[in-house]
Amino acid sequence: MENTLKQKLAAGAQPIGTFFDTASVSLMECLGRTGLEFLAVLALLEPYALLHPRLLPAALVRAAELSGICPLARVREISRPAVLKLLDVGVQGLIVPNVKTLEQVQELVNYAKYYPIGQRGFCPSRKDGWGFDGLGSVPETMRHFNGETLLFPQCETAEALDIIEDICAVDGVDGIFVGPFDLSISMGMPGQLDAPEFQAAITRIVAACHAAGKYCMFFTGTADGVVDGFRRGFDAMAYSLDAALFIQGVKRDVEDIRSRLQ
């Protein structure tokens, strides 16, 4: 497994992705043909995951891989089973919500990274072709995945913002993903993304990431927001989510057709 998103981040290529909410393997394949470079699967796909608890994550990851798009996942909680299951089926990076303490961040590193960085349990699985992908010995395989697995705690709480420099300094953290709406709510200014205090927080997060040699990612619902985010200094941008992009695209075309028929 080579993490194409990590390669593009390292090259300063400004990768663009989206959140994936529909649990559709077919739509995953479609999005792999749009120019998007990563997808963050929302692991709160409980109605689907309960029907196929093992098959669904692996099928979505496989569809992403075959379509040339990097599969990430947003974990549902900070727990060893939640983290390990996703990584073992081949998810190449994790976005972790509701982080509030440094202890939670270290716990995440322990679950997601192998020795000597963390304490991730080792077992051949789909991620390494059940041991047949030619990655070498156990230490070599662990070293490979420590380098290729991205870990992005979210800064979406006032508590995480207060210690953002300390979070960025943790070995095993590859970057920070900013959840702007939840962060604004936690700061007591719901949705006021233009407020000076919120903008100062964004500046602080980006600066903390880059000072520590870590990446910084941001979510936006608009194409203009993607451009503005890159100009602001973010290394990657998550643009909306698959269902919204589908609705938006069809709605735009239908409205265009109707306007031309008048």
Side-chain angles (χ1 to χ4, degrees):
M1 178 196 80
E2 290 189 358
N3 192 317
T4 57
L5 175 58
K6 181 178 179 180
Q7 292 172 353
K8 290 171 182 177
L9 286 168
Q14 298 182 319
I16 302 169
T18 191
F19 278 95
F20 193 80
D21 188 44
T22 61
S24 167
V25 172
S26 295
L27 188 54
M28 176 73 83
E29 291 183 304
C30 292
L31 288 175
R33 289 156 174 79
T34 63
L36 291 174
E37 291 146 305
F38 68 91
L39 291 170
V41 175
L42 296 172
L44 289 171
L45 298 173
E46 295 299 343
Y48 311 97
L50 288 174
L51 292 174
H52 303 288
R54 291 185 60 83
L55 296 181
L56 179 66
L60 291 175
V61 169
R62 184 180 300 111
E65 291 171 346
L66 292 174
S67 301
I69 194 165
C70 180
L72 309 180
R74 184 177 184 271
V75 300
R76 70 175 187 270
E77 63 186 12
I78 301 173
S79 72
R80 187 176 186 274
V83 169
L84 196 57
K85 176 181 176 181
L86 291 169
L87 294 180
D88 279 351
V89 299
V91 166
Q92 296 180 17
L94 300 176
I95 295 171
V96 186
N98 201 36
V99 171
K100 295 184 177 180
T101 70
L102 206 56
E103 289 75 20
Q104 287 178 310
V105 176
Q106 188 58 62
E107 188 178 8
L108 287 167
V109 171
N110 286 339
Y111 297 150
K113 302 281 183 163
Y114 290 117
Y115 173 89
I117 300 173
Q119 301 172 11
R120 177 179 171 184
F122 183 87
C123 182
S125 67
R126 186 190 175 278
K127 70 178 186 312
D128 60 339
W130 294 274
F132 289 89
D133 277 356
L135 297 179
S137 64
V138 170
E140 289 169 330
T141 301
M142 292 193 299
R143 185 162 50 250
H144 172 84
F145 283 104
N146 276 349
E148 296 296 322
T149 301
L150 294 169
L151 182 59
F152 281 81
Q154 286 191 245
C155 185
E156 59 176 1
T157 66
E159 292 90 343
L161 178 62
D162 286 342
I163 57 170
I164 190 63
E165 291 82 6
D166 295 329
I167 294 175
C168 289
V170 173
D171 188 20
V173 168
D174 296 283
I176 298 294
F177 188 101
V178 181
F181 296 110
D182 284 336
L183 179 58
S184 70
I185 292 168
S186 185
M187 293 175 65
M189 49 184 71
Q192 299 177 43
L193 305 189
D194 292 330
E197 185 179 350
F198 184 83
Q199 287 299 308
I202 296 303
T203 298
R204 177 182 174 185
I205 296 167
V206 173
C209 287
H210 292 167
K214 307 296 174 71
Y215 301 114
C216 200
M217 303 172 67
F218 192 80
F219 172 85
T220 180
T222 69
D224 286 343
V226 173
V227 175
D228 291 342
F230 283 128
R231 288 175 177 167
R232 188 71 183 269
F234 286 99
D235 301 291
M237 294 294 297
Y239 174 35
S240 193
L241 64 155
D242 59 338
L245 293 176
F246 177 76
I247 294 169
Q248 176 181 299
V250 175
K251 185 173 184 292
R252 181 178 56 244
D253 287 349
V254 169
E255 289 175 349
D256 177 56
I257 293 168
R258 294 295 183 193
S259 69
R260 288 195 261 169
L261 292 174
Q262 293 177 358

